[in-house]
Amino acid sequence: DNNRQVQQVTPHYEDQNHNERTASFDNHNKNNNRNDHREGNGNRNRNGNGNGNRNNNGGDGRISNRRNYHSGNSGSSRGGSKIQYSEYAPLKECLRRYAARDKLIARGKLRTNAGGGTSFVSCDRGAYGRDLILDGEMPRNRAMDGDTVFVEIICSVNDRNNNNSATNRGEKKVDAVNKMKMEDFMQKMTLADEDDHAAPRSRPSTNADEGKDDPPPDNLKHKNGEDTQFEDYDVGEEVESVGSSNASENESGDEGSKEEGRSDQQEEGGTWQDDEVQRTLWDPVVSIPKRKKKQSANNNDEEQFMCKVIHIVPPKMSGGDQPSELNPSGKNQKNANANTKAKRTLVGSLMSMSGANSNRYLLVPNSRSLPRFICPASVKPSSDSDSGGGGGGLYRAEYVYGTWQPSSKWPPCTNVKMMGQSCNIEDETAALLVEHDVDHGEFDASVLQDVENSVRSGRLGVDETSSESTAEDLGWAPTPEMYEGRRDYRNERIFTIDPTTAKDLDDALHIKPLSDGRVEIGVHIADVSHFLAHGSNVDQEASRRTTTVYLVDRVIPMLPRPLCEIACSLNENVERLAFSCVWIMNRDGTMAQKRSKSGSKENDVWYGRTVIKSCARLDYATAQNIIDGKVAHGEKVENIDESFWPKSRLPTAPHTIDGVAHDVRLMHSVAMARRKLRFENGALALNGIKLTFQMAEDGETPALCAPYPIRDSNRLIEEYMLMANYLVAQRLITHAGGLALLRQHQPPLELGMEKVIGMAKEKGFEIDGTSSKSLQESLSRMARECNDTLTMQCITELFMAPMKPAEYIAAGGFDAEDWSHFALNIPYYTHFTSPIRRYPDVLVHRLLQATLGGPEAVSDYATKQSQEEIQTICTHCNDKRMKSKKAQERSDRIFLSIFLKSNPIASTLGVVVSIGEKAFTVFVPSIGISGLVYLDKHQDTFNVRILNNEKSKNREMMLIPLDGSSPIDIKIFSKISIGCYCKEEPPIDVTLKVVGSWNGS
């Protein structure tokens, strides 16, 4: 082949202790089974290449001369070889310059590639269209992945070789931000847009206290879990299917992977109301412009800049005010202990240093985006851990901000303690909870007392004078006083459809045929805000946790059990308080449109607090049996086949099985018609493989791991939750203005999209990625034309990488055109449907209730919670959401690894999806993951040749078996035989080994 240049290479590695890492996958289990779905956490992959978080260990790195965090063990007792970092600028000075709109200073979250090479910062004001680059550890100046930092611009990327100043180069881009002066910033502290039916005035985002939290980007992911492919059970968004989150454990490709690049996959302009399809499907009442198509990311006007860290802003250590540009001194801090320094908890393993310091140990964090930490001289591996410098032991430690001295190579850690052993589920789970900051512990007594006070009046069978009753003996029902002001739906045929083992049931539905041929749809959501008084102890604890965390074998709830499983849960055959959204739509899935005699359009939507009584607790399997016609054909109750409709899930009188079955089938008919229209007209879904685990008799060891099928019953719920969330967002925008809490999803990264599109083109498929609609149309066409379903699946999976995650925002801090949701292809969206397990939904409920009380109620709400405070809460929720997601992914990976320890897979199909210099990434459909195959792990089996294909510009490999058998071609989309095993040393993970060429069908 004239297009191939062959180069014989011997694998060489910067880090011989490099741990195999593979991209983990999603499993938002709900009570071990419930997979949060439908909306976007997307890959936080904000990279110039947009193809997963990659460095030279797994892909074609673009930026060289990296100093690896994990290379080299030598160093002085003070923490490593001689080095001299820069001193920090005073925080007060940074805040002064930031408030004055200094062109050469920016603030944002630091994201560092695995191995500690390149880092990136996204300016929290959006002053730069592309990420700022920190090329190595010296410009990073002791800052770590996830830190909020102030950085100073050094030069443009184009000019760095000439050492030119960025002062003039950045003028044009930075001047756009400088148009907003300090008085504008102060004005943002007040609620604007008092016109309660008008869209709020668009303004730049200026979060006063903290930069927007941008968790690091993610590698290629494949979902798992019992129920659906999307992120939030009742969110109904398609974004989770287009990305997922595994920050910082990223080694399957380009080293520049955490760099954001540009988000240019945008709409063509015009307004959403001008779009006939939008009017048919969503009937938007707010006139909002679509995102305008931007120029290519290669445009020279969109420069990228190099920078260096000049100050690290430690995380908050108390509930007081943190210094900000409005309060540089931080003098108004409340309850702040001046002697308390911010800390960071670390989880990892111990490794002995070499040479003269062989008696000292380094803590090697599980996250390879963090540096190694030097332990106190007294720290030695526990006698319980394996030999070899910490071997199988899991350790936790603390890093105190400000203790990493400018002359020290390694940061110091303190309070080093052994947590347990690798491959032990309890120990591994305890470690992941600490590592990802979701180790919430038990609820405080003051929180439980608040809960007791809120549910006490409705308890059944409890002595009112007693305070010692336990959650186990609780029954609860609304009191007559609670019915006041609520619409009564207790006689309506309402039911729930949830995972089989779900306990916190926060959504129920009803459908009612109307005489004019249309249908009434009701979505009824648990009225959690009734029980959570603003500012109460339980409210503060919920706002701290922000989300329920679903691990494979346990749940860490946002709310105490008496609320989430009893008083708030919409259990069958009991009265419950709800917040409802009821609307009228056509049976073809379109929204009903009706005009009054005056000519003004009436929205057939009702919002309000209700009291309901669910007649049945269906699960997805039962609902699917009804849809498939396997049960409920007029037979008597005693003749119902329990394998299709369990007796415990039958409706209670006066409702009948035929009535419930009729409603399920009608709901399905309308939902599928609507779903078909949505995907024909712009909605996007990239469906990944999901796994579910079945435990052995001991209840701890995974005995079965299998893909989970997505049913129409899942999609039925999805469609109605989507609609309810959209309608509530519309109400908030029209009646609460800038206070509206929305769920924004930005377009994907153009460079990443272009690379995947190029790979598809090489296989003969033309993909148009300019919008969600064009992308979905292209994928649908490819599905029809492609005879190889596996190639189709791999291309679809690759498109997940450039996708950004959806985020919570306060509407008033963003331009109206930026409220839109790319994957759903709609102008605005929010979260209304899961207040039991998501704190933003609680705020949405409170704000929705304020809009129902009129303008005065909205103004009163603003005095309790300003737009800026809402944005601060949104930022915190975004951060905690990503952390909980990473914890869930880590739990999935632990259980899969332990399953493979007992059940190794000697040979299964793998598909190559990325090729680097030292490793290549393989997608393994049978277990729904992608992972790295390291060449140095195969030196005893294969010789390696690197083949550079000049035509396609893609790297290729040839593995030449030492036993003389046929060579194995490693190209994009090559099928090979892969063995899957457990890597038992910490951090436990899945390891992949090449077996040979794939000879199967």
Side-chain angles (χ1 to χ4, degrees), residues 246-263:
N246 177 39
S248 58
E249 312 304 340
N250 330 305
E251 303 161 11
S252 60
D254 297 332
E255 177 143 350
S257 65
K258 286 199 177 181
E259 187 260 317
E260 173 178 353
R262 284 272 309 271
S263 295

Side-chain angles (χ1 to χ4, degrees), residues 347-350 366 380-396 417-432 700 890 894-895 897-898 901 982-989:
V347 174
S349 55
L350 296 185
N366 285 351
K380 306 294 179 186
S382 170
S383 58
D384 295 331
S385 65
D386 296 342
S387 60
L394 296 170
Y395 293 81
R396 66 177 292 170
K417 298 179 181 177
M418 186 177 180
M419 297 191 69
Q421 290 291 327
S422 178
C423 292
N424 178 286
I425 286 181
E426 286 300 319
D427 294 344
E428 291 278 5
T429 300
L432 77 87
E700 296 182 356
R890 180 62 185 154
I894 288 169
F895 273 80
S897 301
I898 291 177
K901 181 181 177 183
C982 172
K983 181 182 75 66
E984 298 184 29
E985 65 272 14
I988 184 176
D989 212 335

Side-chain angles (χ1 to χ4, degrees), residues 194-256:
E194 295 297 330
D195 179 358
D196 99 318
H197 292 287
R201 184 171 62 251
S202 58
R203 290 162 298 199
S205 172
T206 59
N207 188 5
D209 292 324
E210 285 191 2
K212 192 173 182 179
D213 186 0
D214 289 330
D218 303 7
N219 204 342
L220 174 64
K221 292 299 196 332
H222 310 277
K223 313 227 181 305
N224 62 325
E226 178 178 344
D227 296 305
T228 63
Q229 71 267 36
F230 303 110
E231 171 192 345
D232 292 311
Y233 161 70
D234 47 11
V235 173
E237 293 193 38
E238 311 287 345
V239 187
E240 188 66 278
S241 62
V242 294
S244 55
S245 147
N246 177 39
S248 58
E249 312 304 340
N250 330 305
E251 303 161 11
S252 60
D254 297 332
E255 177 143 350

Side-chain angles (χ1 to χ4, degrees), residues 570-576 612-617 652-653:
L570 305 182
N571 300 328
E572 75 280 14
N573 202 32
V574 292
E575 296 178 0
R576 288 291 181 263
I612 69 169
K613 186 177 182 180
S614 172
C615 72
R617 180 196 294 230
T652 55

Side-chain angles (χ1 to χ4, degrees), residues 781-853:
R781 182 176 62 254
M782 188 174 72
R784 295 190 297 269
E785 298 173 354
C786 183
N787 295 323
D788 188 344
T789 56
L790 188 57
T791 297
M792 171 68 192
Q793 184 180 11
C794 289
I795 292 175
T796 301
E797 294 284 347
L798 286 171
F799 274 112
M800 294 180 184
M803 297 293 168
K804 292 184 178 182
E807 291 187 320
Y808 299 112
I809 63 170
F814 293 78
D815 291 339
E817 66 182 40
D818 291 328
W819 297 342
S820 63
H821 198 291
F822 175 81
L824 295 177
N825 194 34
I826 52 178
Y828 33 76
Y829 192 72
T830 194
H831 277 179
F832 163 72
T833 48
S834 274
I836 290 179
R837 57 193 180 87
R838 281 194 315 241
Y839 190 70
D841 300 53
V842 176
L843 298 190
V844 167
H845 280 221
R846 290 172 178 166
L847 191 54
L848 178 60
Q849 181 60 35
T851 69
L852 300 176

